[in-house]
Amino acid sequence: MPVRSILAGVGGYLPARIVTNAELATRLETSDAWIRDRTGIRQRHIAAAHETCAFMATAAARAALARAGAEPGEVDAILLATSTPDQAFPATALRVQAALGVPGGFGFDLSAACAGFVYALSVADGMIRSGQVRGVLVIGAEVYSRIMNWQDRGTCVLFGDGAGAVFLRAGEGRGSIDRGVLSTHLHAQGTLGDILYVDGAVGQPDKPGTLVMNGREVFRHAVVRLAEAVDEALAANALTRRDVDWLVPHQANLRIIDAMGKRLGLPAERVVVTVDRHANTSAASVPLALAEAVGDGRIRAGDLVLLEALGGGLTWGSALVRM
Ligand code: COA
């Protein structure tokens, strides 16, 4: 039997502090009605000083390991998708390794903006299939509140902080009925780098950087690219829309999420939505949504789940998973 990556456990972490649209409206020229109508967002979680990327990633990873019944010694690799690491180096993945007491293996951070978790899942899946590793923590963790321009109402109302993680364990499987990651597909178009980016980094003189976005352009590309990604994932597995039990999309905007659900012909209750409460947590959004729906018993063993995400780069991709 071929080796396959089983999603053995999933977990999430959200900062305690909730910032509502009404609170934002006290310091910005915006309103709850505008934000809700355009995005579906009602609130977001914002990290306190101690809630760094590593702190939140560790909490999410710990929850994923607990759900999988896995010990730190089972972790051969940690792949952490983030655009907001604690430090340029060491990789935040290695801060997590230390905090969890993982005795060996390796780890690294991966930068693909909001598509980061799907990218990391794809890399981890490849490593498991090749036999290089047997247990991998795949984490998305972000503190976008620290790269927001809090004067720019066009962006700062859209994002929040948090972390999500899955523990992948090597198993065996064949076809689309057996458990595990069935396929992943990644894409990028660097020529569209200027429609969503951070205008600085530690390598730039005196410029830590804040997020800049052309919302309309991102919206336009998201709808087209994600629709293609959904079709590509199904075609690669000789499956149809009717086979999909759950869509767990990147949580950027309810209008984009609704469009994807309609494209798959899924009733709204089969589309996992957290954007109303979490806003866009970038690389953390897909694993956080997955953690919520697995945690409350909606997504069950045997369900076919389609994950998709798009972010700055542009980067986008999908993963089809039998839970
Ligand atoms: N509150 C009130 N008004 C706001 C506002 C806010 N928070 N943000 C922008 N506006 C105003 C604009 O200034 C503009 O005013 P004007 O017409 O007087 O110039 C008006 O609302 C329309 O702005 P526009 O940017 O064209 O709105 P939109 O309909 O495109 O909606 C987004 C904006 C950001 C909600 C939408 O483009 C979007 O969701 N894009 C995708 C973003 C995304 O998903 N990014 C992450 C991808 S990983």
Side-chain angles (χ1 to χ4, degrees), residues 29-31 34-35 38-39 114 153-155 157-159 196 213 215-216 218-219 250 252-253 255-256 280 310-312:
E29 206 175 310
T30 188
S31 66
W34 192 97
I35 300 170
R38 304 280 174 131
T39 70
C114 297
R153 65 179 183 170
T155 55
V157 304
L158 304 176
F159 294 90
L196 176 54
M213 180 176 74
R216 283 213 173 159
V218 174
F219 195 103
H250 173 45
N253 183 310
R255 288 187 292 160
I256 300 175
N280 181 348
L310 173 138

Side-chain angles (χ1 to χ4, degrees), residues 51-296:
E51 289 169 316
T52 65
C53 182
F55 178 95
M56 297 194 295
T58 301
R62 203 169 264 136
L65 289 177
R67 253 201 113 90
E71 297 296 326
E74 258 194 81
V75 179
D76 299 322
I78 302 175
L79 273 56
L80 195 156
T82 189
S83 304
T84 48
D86 284 22
Q87 297 158 307
F89 72 83
T92 301
L94 303 185
R95 297 296 188 197
V96 174
Q97 185 199 38
L100 291 175
V102 172
F106 61 92
F108 56 91
D109 293 353
L110 187 153
S111 164
C114 297
F117 179 78
V118 172
Y119 266 58
L121 189 66
S122 180
V123 174
D125 180 46
M127 287 177 162
I128 286 177
R129 283 178 194 260
S130 77
Q132 189 180 3
V133 290
R134 292 194 61 79
V136 186
L137 269 172
V138 183
I139 310 170
E142 303 278 18
V143 270
Y144 266 43
S145 59
R146 302 201 177 124
I147 55 164
M148 280 300 120
N149 173 354
W150 286 100
Q151 268 70 56
D152 178 9
R153 65 179 183 170
T155 55
C156 74
V157 304
L158 304 176
F159 294 90
D161 301 330
V166 302
F167 181 63
L168 296 180
R169 198 183 259 139
E172 289 181 342
R174 186 176 279 133
S176 61
I177 299 302
D178 290 345
R179 288 183 75 192
V181 177
L182 305 188
S183 67
T184 60
H185 290 89
L186 304 182
H187 297 279
Q189 192 172 346
T191 53
L192 292 172
D194 287 339
I195 64 172
L196 176 54
Y197 61 100
V198 176
D199 63 355
V202 285
Q204 298 225 24
D206 307 321
K207 220 176 167 200
T210 53
L211 185 142
V212 183
M213 180 176 74
N214 179 336
R216 283 213 173 159
E217 278 298 293
V218 174
F219 195 103
R220 200 166 65 80
H221 286 288
V223 173
V224 177
R225 296 304 179 203
L226 290 174
E228 288 169 1
V230 162
D231 291 343
E232 179 184 41
L234 294 175
N237 293 282
L239 293 168
T240 71
R241 292 159 194 204
R242 259 173 290 169
D243 295 312
V244 177
D245 295 305
W246 293 95
L247 176 65
V248 182
H250 173 45
Q251 308 285 321
N253 183 310
L254 193 57
R255 288 187 292 160
I256 300 175
I257 293 172
D258 284 346
M260 288 309 118
K262 286 209 179 80
R263 195 176 168 84
L264 280 167
L266 282 174
E269 60 272 18
R270 290 270 155 182
V271 179
V272 179
V273 173
T274 56
V275 69
D276 53 332
R277 288 157 292 125
H278 301 176
N280 181 348
T281 56
S282 191
S285 104
V286 168
L288 262 174
L290 190 63
E292 183 174 286
V294 169
D296 65 21

